[in-house]
Amino acid sequence: MRNKKKAITVLVALIVLAAGAYWLFLIPRKVQKKIAVPYNLGRTGEQINLASNLVKWYIPFTALGKSYSDKKNQLLQYEDQTLQIKDRSSVSATLVSKNKNQSKKFAIWATPDSGGTESTVVYLSYLTSNFNHLFNRSALEINAEKSLDNLKSFMEDSRQFYGYQIETSTVEDTSFLFLSTTVPATEKRAATKKLFEKLIAYSEKINAGYNGTRIFYASAFGRDQIMLFASIGISKHIELKPDDEFKNKRMPPGKNLLVAMYQGPYAEVSKAYAALEEFKTDHKLSSMAIPYQKIISDGYDFADDQVVQLKIYYPIF
């Protein structure tokens, strides 16, 4: 009788061990992780199905920086690790990650957030065993999950996502003397210098109280012409005749502005304007007036290759 009970106990123990081993090693476990980002479905989908975008947030390929160039094969490679993008759709992809002798498939997809049309939930999932998930997670799995958090941080950081720190502000300077002209594009630099010199000289003549603020905007006009708009901030409101060459422009105080700080070659300031336009579109903002730049660097006579500091403003509502 005692031997029979012992045999039953051993049998039960073996069954429990076998069931435990089956659960640990043979039953697949689906691991799923999600994040929410403040962008619509289309904008978010672009970040998860193109290697040129994954390189900006997927670990360890962020180390490649701007050196990534293989856009045809949708393949990322850094040291002994690769990431191949397969089965792409506009809002999903399969990511095949390899490191030495390890290989892992990850599904990644985006769906609209129930909280609103301008936010999206991104999911990452993969299959593993319960044992590996609990005790032996691979570097590929760890990197994939960390990368999803990286994607959220990347998309919520305007400096990373757009290339510039973009903030909102309100109009402070309200009164400006304004001049504009249209010249051949080759004469932009000389004409800009002349506009500001005329503005400053006129401000001194009429005692308008020039406060050092210089703002500027340029726009292509026809094939070879360019329109230049220059203003200087003044502390006094000056009444001018309608037919006067100079204009007194006022900005409504407290109105909203998008602001980006730009530091770089003067010829490339258009990139900051483009970033603000992209930000405005992504966040469904409306233009209130043309964008313009406030000159922070000394002077206003800049060569194309001269490094300058500017603040780029975009009036919005």
Side-chain angles (χ1 to χ4, degrees):
M1 187 71 175
R2 184 177 299 174
N3 289 338
K4 185 176 180 181
K5 287 183 177 180
K6 185 176 180 180
I8 292 173
T9 300
V10 171
L11 179 61
V12 169
L14 289 174
I15 292 172
V16 170
L17 286 173
Y22 182 78
W23 181 84
L24 278 173
F25 298 103
L26 297 179
I27 293 181
R29 176 169 183 157
K30 183 178 182 180
V31 179
Q32 184 168 288
K33 182 180 176 69
K34 68 178 182 178
I35 60 167
V37 293
Y39 290 89
N40 63 35
L41 188 61
R43 191 74 163 109
T44 304
E46 297 171 354
Q47 310 310 313
I48 64 176
N49 62 10
L50 292 171
S52 56
N53 286 331
L54 266 78
V55 74
K56 299 172 184 176
W57 56 270
Y58 203 101
I59 301 170
F61 307 102
T62 50
L64 294 172
K66 296 181 180 180
S67 65
Y68 170 73
S69 60
D70 183 14
K71 299 179 181 180
K72 180 179 179 181
N73 296 318
Q74 296 300 317
L75 174 70
L76 296 175
Q77 183 167 3
Y78 179 71
E79 295 181 347
D80 57 2
Q81 186 163 330
T82 62
L83 186 72
Q84 181 82 51
I85 303 176
K86 296 184 176 181
D87 304 325
R88 293 191 301 145
S89 77
S90 60
V91 294
S92 67
T94 298
L95 308 179
V96 181
S97 184
K98 295 181 180 180
N99 185 358
K100 295 181 179 178
N101 296 324
Q102 293 182 321
S103 180
K104 197 77 180 179
K105 285 186 178 182
F106 300 92
I108 188 167
W109 69 97
T111 63
D113 190 351
S114 59
T117 59
E118 297 310 313
S119 59
T120 300
V121 177
V122 181
Y123 293 88
L124 175 83
S125 74
Y126 59 92
L127 294 177
T128 186
S129 68
N130 286 293
F131 177 84
N132 285 338
H133 182 68
L134 294 171
F135 307 110
N136 189 33
R137 293 175 68 212
S138 70
L140 300 181
E141 295 167 351
I142 293 170
N143 282 347
E145 293 189 30
K146 286 182 178 179
S147 294
L148 195 65
D149 291 329
N150 246 17
L151 173 61
K152 181 176 177 66
S153 298
F154 167 71
M155 294 188 73
E156 292 180 347
D157 184 334
S158 63
R159 185 182 296 278
Q160 293 188 66
F161 197 57
Y162 297 99
Y164 301 91
Q165 186 67 42
I166 298 175
E167 300 173 344
T168 56
S169 183
T170 55
V171 172
E172 295 178 358
D173 294 314
T174 60
S175 192
F176 293 86
L177 276 180
F178 172 87
L179 268 180
S180 65
T181 188
T182 301
V183 297
T186 54
E187 298 178 13
K188 175 185 176 182
R189 183 179 179 186
T192 301
K193 180 175 183 291
K194 185 177 179 180
L195 284 178
F196 278 112
E197 287 176 343
K198 289 179 68 174
L199 284 165
I200 293 171
Y202 186 71
S203 172
E204 292 175 351
K205 178 181 177 181
I206 64 174
N207 194 28
Y210 169 48
N211 61 18
T213 298
R214 294 144 293 148
I215 65 175
F216 179 75
Y217 178 72
S219 177
F221 183 75
R223 294 185 59 186
D224 304 311
Q225 301 278 303
I226 189 167
M227 296 181 68
L228 307 178
F229 306 84
S231 296
I232 59 171
I234 56 176
S235 59
K236 297 180 181 179
H237 180 69
I238 307 298
E239 294 294 338
L240 300 172
K241 296 178 181 179
D243 59 349
D244 201 310
E245 178 186 13
F246 298 88
K247 306 298 180 185
N248 189 1
K249 298 285 186 177
R250 292 185 64 83
M251 292 188 186
K255 291 298 183 180
N256 293 324
L257 299 168
L258 290 179
V259 187
M261 189 71 184
Y262 174 80
Q263 180 170 322
Y266 187 59
E268 297 181 12
V269 68
S270 60
K271 294 179 180 179
Y273 280 96
L276 284 178
E277 182 67 39
E278 193 175 15
F279 184 97
K280 179 180 72 71
T281 300
D282 286 341
H283 293 83
K284 304 299 182 185
L285 301 171
S286 298
S287 305
M288 187 178 73
I290 61 173
Y292 59 90
Q293 62 199 41
K294 180 178 180 181
I295 302 169
I296 307 301
S297 299
D298 291 336
Y300 37 77
D301 178 23
F302 304 126
D304 283 349
D305 60 353
Q306 185 173 344
V307 174
V308 296
Q309 279 192 331
L310 307 170
K311 276 189 175 180
I312 314 302
Y313 292 94
Y314 208 140
I316 50 130
F317 61 87

